Amino acid sequence: MTLSEYVSSRWDELTQAAGQHALVVALSILMATLIGVGVGVLTYRRPRLAGLATAATAGFLTIPSFALLGLLIPFLGLGWGPTLVALVMYSLLPIVRNTIVGLRAVDPAVVEAGRGMGMSAARVMARVQLPLAWPVILAGIRVSTQMIIGIAAIAAYVAGPGLGNQIFDGLARLGSVNALNAALAGTLGVVVLALAFDLFYLVVRLLTTPRGLRA
Amino acid sequence: MPDDISDGVRIELDGLTKRYPGQEVPAVDNVTMAIPAGELVVFVGPSGCGKTTTMKMINRLIEPTSGSIRIGGEDVLGMPPDQLRRRIGYVIQQIGLFPHLTVAQNVALVPKLLGWPKAKVTARVDELLNLVGLDPAQFAGRHPRRLSGGQQQRVGVARALAADPPVMLMDEPFGATDPITRERLQNEFLRLQRELRKTIIFVTHDFEEALRLGDRIAVFRERSRIAQYDTPARILADPADDYVASFIGGDSTLKRLALISVGDLAADPAAEVDGLPRVSATATLREALDVMVSHSTQQVACDGGVLTYAAICAAAEPAREREEVPGAR
């Protein structure tokens, strides 16, 4: 059976795996964005804390993904739990880092003007600082997404969702019927997903960058 | 200055002090002064003298260590800072327009914070843009980065005026513009202030600007000690000490002449005007003198007749400026 025959005969199974793969990545990025932007907002003005946040999230990235997923099993069992937690941990660094950098790059005069006009600190953050830092933060989110789309495949190791199952299955029985096709189909699916996400971010960036900030 | 018909309110600073932790000497030391309603008072002094710190304590961007501030008799240190600031216009040198909002959205900000109805906000934005000389049809929808520096600062002034605050704080607002734009902005601003009669505190390190704009000037030395607080004419005529005199420089008489316009003097209507160079009634005596020197004459023609060199000399007599000005100290 050729690869294309394999793909068309397993179409339902493959699209379901791809859908789950996309879902687990999207959920992880959503949670990482909430946490990462929050951490960035709380630390960007305190150099020591900001350094600590960056170092800690960078530390997460150095843990091998097999080890991290495996170590989470005693606490979270198998499946979605450890997968989500691991992916969130891996995606934090670019988001935290870019939030801090983006907020620091906002012109202090703009913040002073906002405060001087009687906007509360929270309102200046929500209406002025975050919108101005948004293109930089979004770039961080995009990098995180690209990173964890690949890592998510490894989640099959803890019975997580996604295209990783195809790849692991194939690799486990390499040499038997359709083993190579399964591994290739899973890998290709990951690549296609990555491209689709990137296209999505391109559109998001165009739609969410304020007109006054576009070159 | 009649307080009752003016739009501005009186500001009183009493024993205002700012001490930063870990610093021996206070940045601002025991400032006591009164700013009469509807007047433009210029804080002038070298960098680091504490004039900006003093100003920023008034809208509490910097919290005073001790002392009191009253605006229109009301103690501002007991108010929530954000609400206080919505009633004080604030203009800074870097302008600080929000780059992601349009000109109209920038100007509308404080009225929206105050919960004005939408129609009123829109009407107010148009009114203000017209007031600062920007056509709303052309500029309302633009973003700040598509404006020149002078236009941006006009929007900055319009934004500060948006909710019609009785008090304005201006921190070197024209300091970053080129000399020609600066002079135009200063003139427009003076014209605006003659109509609006806000109480304005204007910080600058440019003594010439202080002379042009101020109803009164407070000359600051280090730690916000006030060396002299008086009208421009009286500071020029009678500087309190060598420090103030050093700000004025060597041409105090010429600077004083620049404060008086030709129309303020009674010209000799009987004299022969033929063949004399003309000056307008709005020209300053300094400009009239310039014309005399350049034409090697002691007389110039003006609307009322002939202005003589002797009349200018008489106007420059310091004694003329010594009449008591109410509220000055």
Side-chain angles (χ1 to χ4, degrees):
Chain A
M1 204 186 272
T2 63
L3 179 61
S4 65
E5 282 166 356
Y6 176 83
V7 169
S8 51
S9 70
R10 307 285 170 91
W11 184 249
D12 287 349
E13 192 185 325
L14 284 171
T15 47
Q16 201 201 351
Q20 289 201 333
H21 201 103
L23 185 65
V24 79
V25 167
L27 279 176
S28 305
I29 286 295
L30 195 69
M31 287 192 275
T33 300
L34 291 176
I35 298 168
V37 172
V39 168
V41 164
L42 292 176
T43 60
Y44 80 102
R45 272 196 309 183
R46 303 178 182 91
R48 201 174 287 179
L49 277 181
L52 196 71
T54 314
T57 50
F60 294 159
L61 264 182
T62 63
I63 308 171
S65 42
F66 267 108
L68 181 58
L69 286 162
L71 287 170
L72 287 170
I73 296 173
F75 307 100
L76 299 164
L78 293 170
W80 284 74
T83 308
L84 276 173
V85 170
L87 292 184
V88 168
M89 283 170 75
Y90 285 129
S91 36
L92 280 175
L93 176 67
I95 300 176
V96 169
R97 181 88 196 114
N98 279 33
T99 304
I100 291 170
V101 170
L103 287 175
R104 283 186 182 160
V106 173
D107 182 0
V110 171
V111 177
E112 187 188 335
R115 296 291 282 142
M117 282 190 291
M119 294 170 83
S120 66
R123 194 187 284 260
V124 172
M125 178 55 73
R127 297 286 177 79
V128 181
Q129 290 166 279
L130 282 177
L132 292 179
W134 177 245
V136 181
I137 298 173
L138 188 65
I141 296 173
R142 189 172 166 186
V143 170
S144 288
T145 309
Q146 297 301 319
M147 253 170 33
I148 68 164
I149 285 177
I151 298 175
I154 299 171
Y157 170 61
V158 290
L163 289 162
N165 293 303
Q166 289 284 330
I167 303 172
F168 273 58
D169 276 1
L171 293 179
R173 50 188 180 82
L174 214 55
S176 54
V177 182
N178 282 334
L180 187 62
N181 279 336
L184 278 178
T187 309
L188 272 176
V190 168
V191 172
V192 170
L193 262 190
L195 291 173
F197 264 103
D198 221 34
L199 203 66
F200 168 75
Y201 281 118
L202 205 69
V203 175
V204 169
R205 200 185 59 188
L206 284 175
L207 292 179
T208 60
T209 302
R211 208 152 58 86
L213 298 186
R214 282 182 225 157
Chain B
M1 248 1 101
D3 285 12
D4 50 351
I5 60 159
S6 102
D7 205 1
V9 295
R10 185 178 170 85
I11 302 174
E12 288 157 310
L13 311 181
D14 192 9
L16 201 60
T17 300
K18 179 66 189 182
R19 199 182 288 272
Y20 286 103
Q23 283 183 6
E24 294 247 323
V25 290
V28 172
D29 194 5
N30 200 20
V31 173
T32 298
M33 70 189 300
I35 291 128
E39 286 205 7
L40 195 162
V41 170
V42 182
F43 288 3
V44 66
S47 307
C49 70
K51 56 192 192 297
T52 300
T53 308
T54 304
M55 187 194 77
K56 284 187 181 176
M57 283 195 277
I58 294 170
N59 67 359
R60 291 175 64 190
L61 282 177
I62 296 175
E63 287 290 343
T65 310
S66 62
S68 80
I69 303 164
R70 276 189 301 279
I71 297 181
E74 212 175 336
D75 181 10
V76 306
L77 296 179
M79 273 184 211
D82 289 335
Q83 264 154 51
L84 167 73
R85 292 181 198 135
R86 289 171 200 175
R87 292 165 38 189
I88 300 178
Y90 188 52
V91 184
I92 55 179
Q93 182 183 348
Q94 309 87 330
I95 311 174
L97 293 181
F98 298 149
H100 58 307
L101 302 182
T102 63
V103 166
Q105 287 168 330
N106 268 282
V107 175
L109 223 126
V110 178
K112 278 189 181 157
L113 284 177
L114 292 170
W116 289 16
K118 206 175 170 195
K120 190 179 168 194
V121 174
T122 314
R124 180 66 179 158
V125 168
D126 282 4
E127 182 190 351
L128 281 163
L129 289 180
N130 281 319
L131 193 68
V132 297
L134 296 173
D135 177 17
Q138 197 185 343
F139 289 97
R142 281 203 197 173
H143 283 90
R145 71 153 55 171
R146 293 191 49 224
L147 304 180
S148 71
Q151 289 167 340
Q152 287 187 21
Q153 194 50 287
R154 280 184 199 138
V155 177
V157 171
R159 181 173 70 171
L161 285 169
D164 201 21
V167 173
M168 300 257 286
L169 305 179
M170 308 183 78
D171 188 1
E172 304 204 26
F174 311 135
T177 45
D178 64 87
I180 294 167
T181 308
R182 185 182 317 157
E183 193 174 328
R184 198 159 62 217
L185 287 172
Q186 285 170 345
N187 288 334
E188 283 175 15
F189 180 66
L190 266 182
R191 174 180 54 73
L192 211 61
Q193 167 62 358
R194 279 195 202 104
E195 286 172 39
L196 300 172
R197 304 300 320 169
K198 304 282 182 198
T199 307
I200 298 175
I201 293 177
F202 189 110
V203 166
T204 181
H205 59 254
D206 177 356
F207 192 69
E208 297 281 343
E209 184 170 62
L211 289 175
R212 278 178 82 91
L213 299 181
D215 291 314
R216 260 166 239 273
I217 298 173
V219 183
F220 281 66
R221 55 171 107 238
E222 76 288 354
R223 274 180 279 159
S224 274
R225 297 254 165 78
I226 297 171
Q228 191 168 7
Y229 178 34
D230 215 329
T231 61
R234 282 168 53 95
I235 286 178
L236 288 174
D238 189 13
D241 54 22
D242 290 347
Y243 178 77
V244 178
S246 74
F247 265 92
I248 298 169
D251 56 348
S252 70
T253 308
L254 282 177
K255 281 180 173 137
R256 217 158 60 240
L257 289 179
L259 297 175
I260 309 170
S261 64
V262 169
D264 294 342
L265 292 191
D268 180 359
E272 182 60 50
V273 297
D274 282 354
L276 291 178
R278 277 199 75 83
V279 293
S280 81
T282 55
T284 66
L285 292 189
R286 182 179 177 159
E287 286 159 348
L289 186 65
D290 184 86
V291 171
M292 285 179 192
V293 172
S294 64
H295 286 79
S296 299
T297 168
Q298 301 215 337
Q299 295 179 319
V300 288
C302 61
D303 287 351
V306 168
L307 181 68
T308 64
Y309 176 70
I312 291 179
C313 290
E317 278 290 313
R320 269 180 58 89
E321 309 293 342
R322 297 250 172 132
E323 74 268 21
E324 200 48 50
V325 182
R329 86 162 189 215

